[in-house]
Amino acid sequence: MAQPATRNLGRLSEIAQVAVRHGFGYWFDKHRLTDLFPGRAPRVEMDGQPSQRGQHLREMLDELGPTFVKFGQLLSMRPDVLPPDIIAELRGLQDDVRPVPFAQVEQVVEDELGLTLDKLFAEFDEQAVAAASIGQVHRAILPNGKRVAVKVQRPGAPRQIEADLALLYQAARIAKERVRALDFIDAHQLVDEFARSIRHELDYRLEARSAAAFHRNFAGHPHVHVPRVFWSYTRARVLTLEWLEGIQVADIDPQEWSLDERRDLAYLMTEAWMTMIFRHGFFHGDPHPANILVPHEAGTIGLVDFGAAGTLTDDDMSKLTGLFIDAANENIEQLPRRLADLGVRYPKEREAEFLAELRELYYRYYGASLSEVDPIQIIREGFQLIYSMNLHLPSRFLLLDRTIATLGSVGAELYPDFNVFEVARPYARDLMIERFRPERVARRARREAFRYAQVLAEAPYQFHDFMEEIRDGQIEVGFVHKGLEEFMQKLDVAFNRLVIALIVVGGLIGSSLIGIFAKGGPHLLGVNVISIIGFALSTVLGLWLLWGVVRSGRL
């Protein structure tokens, strides 16, 4: 059992040395973690600038390997854990690695699908068209002539991921035990969240279900194409999708595309994601330019890579729609209430300050084109507002936040003069009209009526349970009084002083009685010794009590 632990410590030592090379040696010195690496690796000193700090962290995760790149991508969605400058840098992490040999790909496909490659496909390109940490994509043709993209999982991916997860859990344990500066986060819970996410990606059938859902949602859409899933060619480690022709947005040459063409494409992408978020409640979570294709057909886009997808409930969609409509129509006064409906928590007494900060941030960028502002700066200022007011962003919106930020940066690169409000205003108007269509109002009324009917139907049973708890003495009432602790402390001090005063008085009276009536025993200057001792102790206690009262300033 000692061998894996030794191997893990060796890998942790390697990670520590990589961190030192990228300028984080000071962090190990500060938190007394230098025992994690045997020798002093060459240091890269940072100049203390926040942007350089984030850049060095991104480069370090890139060097550590695919699992750590994905962990960095998760951290880029956690503004409650990292500051804005590092968040902005980590959003630039790309999951891009060398492809595995074709023989290993062939073995995985045949093991999963149960037939040889020759029987499964009419053609299968040996050269991968894309490669990532978990799998890679090959172009192929089915026996019926359909062109498909086959995503094949790397043979050692699950084993490597589990080994790296074990390291992350060990690092989380060390952080909890030895790094007090990280007490504000639950490192173990953070690794748990990452483990669930990456293990989810190991089963391609889950990604296939997401792709199928997007395909249904955009079925018949004139401008958005989503590939169809070939279920008979899909298993846990093999995913087969319809091949979409076109070039990646990342490969668009501004010299070959006119300004109007790039403007139309930016508008089309924005409208597609608005449709996913506000109409479908199911959105593509990684709008990276490599995941958006521009087919040969004009005025259309294609979507690929559905490993990250976010889900919004009907209630979330309704509240987000209200927030979006108010923002697009400059109804700033309603924004704090809209954000509170979404679960953003802020102190009630600071609502006026929150509104003022929102208004200032909003009008600073309202109507400006993306060429006139720095998207990273906007993200940084938004997160700074969250930190300064101790706001809490519900975790279900973290992926949505990253998606919108990524889409904004893609739009800035594609068409710098793009103004998101030009799209937002007409879209908000259409949403408002659709929101109050008679059939939608009737559907919402039916849903609410059914909910109220359920509450009424359960009310007698809940009242019965409540009465039984009262009968059995199980009802407990909690009472919280603000400022009661300070009052109790003052009361405790007063009682202590009263007790000491009573002891002093009792000592004086007792000593006086002994001095008057005691005839036997030792005497000093005609006074009983016990009486003298009692007077002395009472005098000391009395002076100590008087000094305490004088020092408190409350005579």
Side-chain angles (χ1 to χ4, degrees):
M1 294 297 292
Q3 187 176 357
T6 303
R7 188 163 56 245
N8 281 352
L9 285 174
R11 175 62 170 153
L12 277 178
S13 174
E14 178 188 342
I15 292 170
Q17 292 184 67
V18 172
V20 170
R21 283 204 306 274
H22 285 277
F24 292 97
Y26 73 94
W27 194 84
F28 289 90
D29 291 335
K30 179 179 179 181
H31 299 289
R32 299 179 181 178
L33 297 173
T34 51
D35 56 309
L36 292 178
F37 45 93
R40 290 286 177 179
R43 288 175 178 246
V44 177
E45 296 297 336
M46 290 187 287
D47 61 10
Q49 295 297 320
S51 58
Q52 190 187 45
R53 176 180 60 181
Q55 177 186 347
H56 278 275
L57 180 60
R58 175 174 55 79
E59 291 170 351
M60 182 190 81
L61 294 173
D62 261 329
E63 182 176 343
L64 287 174
T67 305
F68 292 88
V69 167
K70 285 191 171 293
F71 188 60
Q73 291 171 341
L74 169 72
L75 291 177
S76 72
M77 296 187 292
R78 295 298 301 269
D80 56 324
V81 173
L82 295 177
D85 61 290
I86 295 182
I87 293 282
E89 279 289 340
L90 293 185
R91 280 179 170 161
L93 283 168
Q94 299 303 318
D95 187 15
D96 190 15
V97 297
R98 291 183 179 180
V100 298
F102 178 71
Q104 297 181 19
V105 172
E106 183 177 14
Q107 185 65 48
V108 171
V109 173
E110 292 180 353
D111 289 346
E112 288 292 299
L113 300 181
L115 293 172
T116 63
L117 216 59
D118 294 339
K119 293 181 179 179
L120 289 167
F121 301 95
E123 293 182 19
F124 195 99
D125 287 356
E126 295 188 7
Q127 187 70 31
V129 296
S133 57
I134 293 180
Q136 59 192 52
V137 179
H138 291 258
R139 192 197 312 253
I141 299 177
L142 298 179
N144 61 4
K146 293 283 187 182
R147 299 173 64 83
V148 295
V150 184
K151 189 174 181 179
V152 184
Q153 191 174 107
R154 289 171 172 265
R159 184 175 62 255
Q160 181 61 48
I161 285 171
E162 291 301 327
D164 288 337
L165 286 177
L167 284 172
L168 287 173
Y169 277 115
Q170 189 171 357
R173 179 182 57 78
I174 292 174
K176 181 178 180 180
E177 293 174 353
R178 301 171 61 180
V179 185
R180 298 278 70 82
L182 297 179
D183 284 345
F184 73 100
I185 63 171
D186 188 336
H188 191 278
Q189 185 181 38
L190 191 64
V191 178
D192 274 341
E193 180 185 348
F194 174 62
R196 285 193 300 271
S197 172
I198 199 167
R199 284 168 178 157
H200 181 280
E201 294 186 39
L202 288 173
D203 189 347
Y204 284 168
R205 292 169 296 188
L206 301 177
E207 182 178 345
R209 294 189 192 110
S210 296
F214 284 117
H215 184 78
R216 286 193 305 271
N217 290 341
F218 283 104
H221 196 285
H223 304 299
V224 180
H225 298 320
V226 178
R228 182 165 65 94
V229 179
F230 291 88
W231 288 102
S232 58
Y233 285 80
T234 296
R235 298 291 186 276
R237 295 193 296 163
V238 176
L239 170 62
T240 304
L241 300 172
E242 175 187 2
W243 180 267
L244 293 185
E245 293 289 350
I247 64 170
Q248 296 177 348
V249 170
D251 295 333
I252 287 179
D253 186 354
Q255 303 298 326
E256 297 180 2
W257 283 63
S258 69
L259 199 62
D260 288 340
E261 288 175 331
R262 286 184 279 128
R263 175 184 180 276
D264 292 343
L265 180 57
Y267 272 62
L268 180 56
M269 288 165 47
T270 305
E271 288 178 354
W273 260 266
M274 284 183 178
T275 300
M276 294 182 217
I277 294 167
F278 294 108
R279 298 187 189 277
H280 301 160
F282 188 67
F283 60 92
H284 192 299
D286 189 13
H288 186 267
N291 295 334
I292 305 172
L293 303 179
V294 183
H296 301 306
E297 181 184 353
T300 60
I301 59 172
L303 307 180
V304 296
D305 194 352
F306 308 98
T311 303
L312 298 170
T313 65
D314 289 340
D315 192 47
D316 289 337
M317 291 167 59
S318 177
K319 291 173 180 176
L320 279 170
T321 300
L323 175 66
F324 178 72
I325 290 172
D326 284 334
N329 290 295
E330 302 183 62
N331 193 5
I332 311 300
E333 283 68 22
Q334 291 296 322
L335 294 185
R337 187 171 66 85
R338 298 294 188 188
L339 290 169
D341 289 342
L342 286 170
V344 177
R345 296 288 173 256
Y346 57 89
K348 193 67 177 175
E349 60 273 11
R350 301 184 68 185
E351 183 171 356
E353 178 190 352
F354 184 36
L355 179 59
E357 293 284 351
L358 279 175
R359 186 183 289 111
E360 181 183 351
L361 181 63
Y362 184 88
Y363 284 116
R364 193 182 308 153
Y365 298 107
Y366 181 85
S369 66
L370 292 178
S371 62
E372 298 172 324
V373 299
D374 180 3
I376 294 177
Q377 179 64 23
I378 298 177
I379 295 169
R380 187 172 298 151
E381 291 184 18
F383 286 157
Q384 191 59 45
L385 178 59
I386 290 175
Y387 292 139
S388 63
M389 297 203 62
N390 297 319
L391 305 185
H392 170 69
L393 183 68
S395 59
R396 66 184 184 280
F397 294 123
L398 293 174
L399 180 61
L400 178 62
D401 167 67
R402 189 191 76 168
T403 300
I404 293 172
T406 304
L407 191 63
S409 64
V410 173
E413 293 178 6
L414 187 65
Y415 179 63
D417 293 327
F418 174 65
N419 186 331
V420 69
F421 289 99
E422 293 182 26
V423 183
R425 277 185 176 277
Y427 199 89
R429 185 172 56 249
D430 293 342
L431 279 174
M432 178 72 80
I433 294 171
E434 182 179 347
R435 199 177 178 193
F436 293 101
R437 277 179 11 202
E439 59 269 24
R440 185 162 183 175
V441 172
R443 187 167 60 249
R444 189 161 58 242
R446 285 196 302 270
R447 185 169 61 247
E448 293 297 327
F450 178 72
R451 189 178 302 170
Y452 288 135
Q454 282 184 315
V455 172
L456 289 174
E458 293 174 0
Y461 301 102
Q462 292 176 345
F463 180 73
H464 176 264
D465 293 341
F466 176 70
M467 296 302 293
E468 282 194 336
E469 288 180 356
I470 291 179
R471 183 195 64 191
D472 298 337
Q474 296 177 356
I475 298 294
E476 295 182 0
V477 178
F479 178 75
V480 177
H481 190 289
K482 292 186 177 180
L484 190 61
E485 290 184 3
E486 184 180 355
F487 172 73
M488 292 300 294
Q489 287 177 354
K490 292 180 179 179
L491 193 63
D492 187 44
V493 171
F495 272 116
N496 288 340
R497 288 177 178 175
L498 181 60
V499 169
I500 294 174
L502 290 174
I503 292 174
V504 170
V505 172
L508 291 173
I509 294 174
S511 299
S512 299
L513 292 174
I514 292 173
I516 294 171
F517 296 106
K519 302 301 181 182
H523 284 66
L524 180 64
L525 300 177
V527 181
N528 191 286
V529 172
I530 296 176
S531 177
I532 294 173
I533 294 173
F535 273 116
L537 290 175
S538 298
T539 302
V540 171
L541 283 174
L543 291 174
W544 179 66
L545 177 61
L546 179 62
W547 171 247
V549 173
V550 171
R551 190 174 56 179
S552 68
R554 297 177 181 273
L555 282 174

